[in-house]
Amino acid sequence: MSEKITFAPISYTGWGSLSHLLDEVKRLKASKILVVTDPFLKDIGLTNQVTEPLEAEGYAIEIYTEVVPEPPLAIGEKLVAHTRDNAFDLVIGVGGGSALDLAKLAGVLASHEGNVAHYLNLTGTKQITEKGIPTILIPTTSGTGSEITNISVLSLETTKDVVTHDNLLADVAIVDPALTISLPPKVTAATGVDALTHAVESYISKNASPVSDALALQAIRLISNSIRTAVANGQDKQARTDMSYGSYLAGIAFFNAGVAGVHALAYPLGGQFHIAHGDSNAVLLPYVMGYIRQSCEKRMKDIYDAMGFSSINLSQEEASYKCVAELKRLVEDVGIPSSLKGFNIPEDALQSLTNDGIEQRRILARSPMPLLKEDIYTIYKAAYDGVIVEPSK
């Protein structure tokens, strides 16, 4: 069976790769540039590393900082309207996944009619038809993979939805680990486990291929062996580099193979309780993987090996159990609460979370084990109690 493998058109990776920005801006023949970034990054001066070389060359730049974590639909609507009204010819996204998602949304929908809501995956009525304004995406975290995917995630009242189309792929992605040095430990942990989740879910996805498998396993190797150091010592150049490459590879893997149950159940946590996406994935990862373990034992054995352990004397079943335990240990080691109680989620919210989770059919369809409504409730309850459970026989 043939497979379609998609990559962002141009990517620069590695320490110092931001140096390629000016040449790419010239190649794209830009003159009036919108830079979409997190306000914190502007306040600490990190955004200056992007804007100052361009301003020195005479480019007209507007810095747009109305970016918030887990951006609601209204934020996306406002940015798209602003982009349409001001005739920009290049959008540069600088920051975490929220800034990058908003930047590519603005670039594409600036050339379309209607509201952002008209293009949402679950409820939209319009289709993306134009490429829009060129975009350059520059992540300052190692986690979301947004710089090389075709998805923009927006928060709704109690859950999340996406705008997705290959036209949302950036014209250029610049993945420079030097830009992640100032990332606080808590954000390093959350975004790092987000990237690990991308790799793990890509590898067990029903849409996995030999190409996505190779990317996912290498991402797991890099992230598992560097995340603890990156959290403990953000100045460690090798750890930051490995996390950056791991996130990039995981992003390509999940863009092609897709994510599954962890992400489907994470979206309602972000929508209802505004928990950061990385934290939502992290707290659910061991419980979802523990619940579906029997459906992908061989692949979880491979994940266990990629995390740096040896399964040579273990059966697939034994290794899969150890894999779940090590995923839970990793989340705990980087300081993320290991139960929903740790995020102050009340037990009486589990049913509403389940009701929203089951609606993420696009994502749930990739799970190697079909997850019905009762399964989803059981997983949320396991995550609430902090106890790994499996389906009843």
Side-chain angles (χ1 to χ4, degrees), residues 59-298:
Y59 288 100
I61 295 175
E62 177 184 332
I63 300 176
Y64 188 98
T65 60
E66 294 190 46
V67 174
V68 297
E70 319 300 316
L73 178 61
I75 293 287
E77 299 281 14
K78 185 174 182 179
L79 174 57
V80 168
H82 180 76
T83 309
R84 287 173 177 167
D85 291 343
N86 287 276
F88 297 103
D89 54 18
L90 175 65
V91 178
I92 300 177
V94 183
S98 297
L100 304 189
D101 278 8
L102 289 170
K104 55 189 174 184
L105 191 71
V108 170
L109 293 189
S111 63
H112 289 73
E113 296 181 347
N115 298 328
V116 176
H118 295 147
Y119 297 89
L120 290 172
N121 175 69
L122 294 178
T123 58
T125 57
K126 291 182 178 291
Q127 299 294 319
I128 290 173
T129 57
E130 306 293 330
K131 180 65 178 82
I133 303 168
T135 56
I136 298 176
L137 300 182
I138 306 171
T140 60
T141 69
S142 296
T144 70
S146 179
E147 69 277 4
I148 38 83
T149 68
N150 67 352
I151 302 170
S152 180
V153 183
L154 296 165
S155 295
L156 306 182
E157 187 173 344
T158 62
T159 187
K160 294 184 179 183
D161 201 354
V162 302
V163 178
T164 179
H165 192 279
D166 279 356
N167 286 351
L168 269 75
L169 284 169
D171 293 87
V172 180
I174 298 177
V175 186
D176 189 338
L179 298 176
T180 69
I181 287 290
S182 61
L183 202 62
K186 185 176 179 181
V187 184
T188 299
T191 56
V193 180
D194 187 17
L196 179 64
T197 304
H198 293 154
V200 169
E201 290 212 283
S202 300
Y203 192 66
I204 57 97
S205 168
K206 287 172 65 175
N207 295 342
S209 72
V211 175
S212 64
D213 286 351
L215 295 166
L217 287 175
Q218 181 62 3
I220 292 166
R221 292 184 192 101
L222 289 167
I223 296 167
S224 298
N225 289 286
S226 60
I227 187 170
R228 292 175 174 87
T229 302
V231 170
N233 178 17
Q235 300 295 314
D236 189 297
K237 183 175 179 179
Q238 188 60 55
R240 289 297 194 184
T241 298
D242 288 349
M243 288 298 297
S244 181
Y245 275 111
S247 171
Y248 176 75
L249 294 173
I252 301 173
F254 96 80
F255 176 39
N256 285 282
V259 288
V262 179
H263 277 72
L265 274 61
Y267 278 1
L269 282 180
Q272 292 188 30
F273 295 97
H274 309 292
I275 298 174
H277 179 62
D279 285 330
S280 298
N281 277 331
V283 71
L284 292 170
L285 177 62
Y287 303 102
V288 173
M289 296 306 295
Y291 193 81
I292 69 170
R293 181 197 60 77
Q294 296 174 56
S295 68
C296 50
E297 285 183 350
K298 169 62 171 66

Side-chain angles (χ1 to χ4, degrees), residues 244-390:
S244 181
Y245 275 111
S247 171
Y248 176 75
L249 294 173
I252 301 173
F254 96 80
F255 176 39
N256 285 282
V259 288
V262 179
H263 277 72
L265 274 61
Y267 278 1
L269 282 180
Q272 292 188 30
F273 295 97
H274 309 292
I275 298 174
H277 179 62
D279 285 330
S280 298
N281 277 331
V283 71
L284 292 170
L285 177 62
Y287 303 102
V288 173
M289 296 306 295
Y291 193 81
I292 69 170
R293 181 197 60 77
Q294 296 174 56
S295 68
C296 50
E297 285 183 350
K298 169 62 171 66
R299 294 210 153 227
M300 291 190 69
K301 183 175 186 287
D302 296 339
I303 292 169
Y304 180 69
D305 287 335
M307 291 180 73
F309 302 97
S310 175
S311 66
I312 192 167
N313 294 317
L314 301 175
S315 67
Q316 290 182 14
E317 181 183 33
E318 291 169 333
S320 67
Y321 275 119
K322 287 183 174 292
C323 178
V324 173
E326 290 303 330
L327 290 172
K328 191 170 188 291
R329 190 193 316 278
L330 185 148
V331 171
E332 294 168 348
D333 284 352
V334 298
I336 298 173
S338 58
S339 74
L340 295 182
K341 290 179 184 177
F343 288 98
N344 298 315
I345 306 298
E347 187 172 6
D348 61 12
L350 300 184
Q351 190 59 60
S352 64
L353 290 169
T354 300
N355 293 341
D356 285 343
I358 194 64
E359 294 301 317
Q360 296 294 333
R361 296 179 180 88
R362 177 183 66 91
I363 305 176
L364 288 170
R366 306 184 192 114
S367 174
M369 173 185 166
L371 293 175
L372 305 178
K373 196 168 186 177
E374 53 267 32
D375 299 311
I376 290 173
Y377 182 88
T378 301
I379 293 170
Y380 277 131
K381 183 65 164 63
Y384 177 82
D385 293 333
V387 179
I388 306 294
V389 301
E390 295 191 353

